[in-house]
Amino acid sequence: MTRIFCIGELLIDFVAENQGSDLSVANEFTKKAGGAPANVACAIAKLGGKSNFIGCVGKDPFGTFLLNVLNQENVDISLAQRSKKFTTLAFVSIAEDGERDFVFSRGADKELKYDSTIRNKFQGHMVHFGAATALLGGGLEEAYGHYLFDAITKDCFISFDPNYRVDLWKDKEESFIKKSLAYVEKSHLCKFSLEEALLLSGKETVEEACIKLHEVGAEIITVTLGKDGTYVSTPQSQKTIASIPVNPVDTTGAGDAFIGCLLYQIAKLDDSGSLATNFDLLCNMVGMANKAGAITTTQYGAIVALPSLEQLQA
Ligand code: ATP
């Protein structure tokens, strides 16, 4: 079975309990496993797919907690690394005005060291770059560049999600755009939010944005639109696939569930390279991935809310 290597950050999200207060007054926090590429690895494994996580956590109890979560979700963590630096922490609260209050303490995730022996495991498999913190510098960014090169030379199906976070890229948008476009250029599949597609393309509509981003290189583009579904685009065809109506309680991780489910389905194809020219099949797959995203919004938390294959098929 085709494996999907998910590379990037795994961190602790400390989520303030009493929403409506900013971090200066929030008293209680719940510890949660976070990090988009790690969520994607969990989403794939929960559906029965084979996923590996490549990233770095600290040699501290938080690092142990995070790797235990992935292990329990059946993600292969044999390629994960541990550093003397503390595990990366994010503190999050939603203030009274609805704005996200966010403090980020970057530690072990940026310590990832490139391992050239992994290259041989890539042959014919899939690699997902769920950027988020990866393009912010450090060993992780360096490793990203090497693994991108390895994925190209080993005929991997390459997937990219920039996971733009306003808080992390304040006053550095130009750098975010430049670094992300290098991955768009080399990827078979790109998953964007509408904000990301417009930011990276400099265009004003999703249609124009996708035309521009196809010119950069991406063969298949999905732009997730929350309750409005997903815009799917190839250079030849475009369509919006409606979402599944649900009563959402927490949308955290819906995008990761979406891309995890799409990659899981692509991994089962005999010839993933021809997907861009089979638009009906692609749209069917996106419909299923929309369902995974929708189900994830009906429970609190990103990883616990990910659907199993049985739930998806029900
Ligand atoms: P994330 O915050 O995880 O990065 P995202 O912005 O990448 O999320 P969303 O657009 O929020 O991704 O959600 C991904 C997919 O999940 C959507 O394309 C849609 O199919 C589904 N989804 C999300 N929110 C809802 C909702 N309220 N109702 C139904 N489906 C939803």
Side-chain angles (χ1 to χ4, degrees):
M1 195 191 215
T2 304
R3 283 198 158 268
I4 305 161
F5 295 86
C6 301
I7 314 178
E9 85 281 10
L10 171 60
L11 49 81
I12 302 274
D13 273 326
F14 278 110
V15 184
E17 273 308 315
N18 298 320
Q19 296 295 326
S21 52
D22 65 41
L23 289 175
S24 66
V25 291
N27 286 327
E28 290 174 35
F29 296 85
T30 302
K31 179 182 74 175
K32 296 203 165 136
N39 289 345
V40 174
C42 290
I44 295 161
K46 195 131 179 197
L47 292 170
K50 299 259 176 241
S51 64
N52 274 75
F53 174 72
I54 303 176
C56 186
V57 295
K59 283 183 188 161
D60 53 36
F62 289 141
T64 304
F65 161 75
L66 290 170
L67 291 180
N68 283 345
V69 170
L70 262 57
N71 198 29
Q72 276 156 19
E73 295 292 332
N74 291 322
V75 174
D76 187 327
I77 52 167
S78 59
L79 302 175
Q81 296 174 13
R82 299 192 76 167
S83 155
K84 283 188 191 145
K85 288 260 167 70
F86 54 84
T87 296
T88 299
L89 309 174
F91 293 83
V92 195
S93 176
I94 308 296
E96 219 163 54
D97 58 4
E99 284 297 311
R100 211 166 76 116
D101 203 9
F102 179 83
V103 171
F104 185 60
S105 176
R106 197 165 187 214
D109 82 276
K110 81 168 176 193
E111 299 300 310
L112 184 74
K113 291 189 175 47
Y114 170 64
D115 176 353
S116 62
T117 64
I118 294 178
R119 179 193 311 151
N120 296 327
K121 302 182 197 294
F122 277 4
Q123 187 68 54
H125 291 282
M126 298 166 68
V127 182
H128 174 67
F129 295 90
T133 68
L135 302 180
L136 286 166
L140 176 57
E141 183 170 3
E142 226 181 288
Y144 246 51
H146 288 297
Y147 287 129
L148 178 63
F149 181 77
D150 290 346
I152 296 165
T153 52
K154 293 292 178 181
D155 277 334
C156 296
F157 183 96
I158 301 171
S159 156
F160 176 62
D161 179 350
N163 275 303
Y164 178 66
R165 301 282 178 264
V166 181
D167 320 84
L168 295 180
W169 289 97
K170 223 170 257 167
D171 305 323
K172 292 183 284 197
E173 285 93 354
E174 284 309 314
S175 168
F176 169 79
I177 294 169
K178 190 166 166 242
K179 291 178 178 190
S180 297
L181 289 180
Y183 286 81
V184 175
E185 188 189 332
K186 303 294 181 196
S187 297
H188 299 93
L189 167 68
C190 287
K191 179 239 170 253
F192 302 121
S193 64
L194 183 58
E195 181 188 26
E196 289 164 345
L198 301 183
L199 182 67
L200 292 182
S201 63
K203 301 290 182 186
E204 287 182 1
T205 65
V206 67
E207 293 84 0
E208 289 170 349
C210 287
I211 292 170
K212 175 80 206 271
L213 294 166
H214 284 310
E215 280 167 15
V216 174
E219 285 172 2
I220 301 171
I221 298 175
T222 59
V223 183
T224 53
L225 307 167
K227 65 174 176 29
D228 296 324
T230 303
Y231 183 80
V232 193
S233 177
T234 66
Q236 294 76 31
S237 313
Q238 298 78 36
K239 191 175 179 180
T240 299
I241 312 292
S243 67
I244 317 296
V246 287
N247 291 321
V249 295
D250 178 10
T251 59
T252 315
D256 301 330
F258 170 89
I259 187 69
C261 179
L262 187 54
L263 291 172
Y264 162 78
Q265 295 174 82
I266 296 172
K268 296 210 310 192
L269 296 176
D270 290 332
D271 177 16
S272 56
S274 64
L275 184 59
T277 54
N278 192 342
F279 196 64
D280 287 343
L281 175 64
L282 176 61
C283 290
N284 278 338
M285 289 180 164
V286 169
M288 185 67 104
N290 276 356
K291 201 168 168 186
I295 292 172
T296 306
T297 69
T298 60
Q299 264 193 69
Y300 287 98
I303 293 176
V304 288
L306 293 166
S308 64
L309 195 57
E310 292 70 39
Q311 274 174 291
L312 213 53
Q313 287 169 341

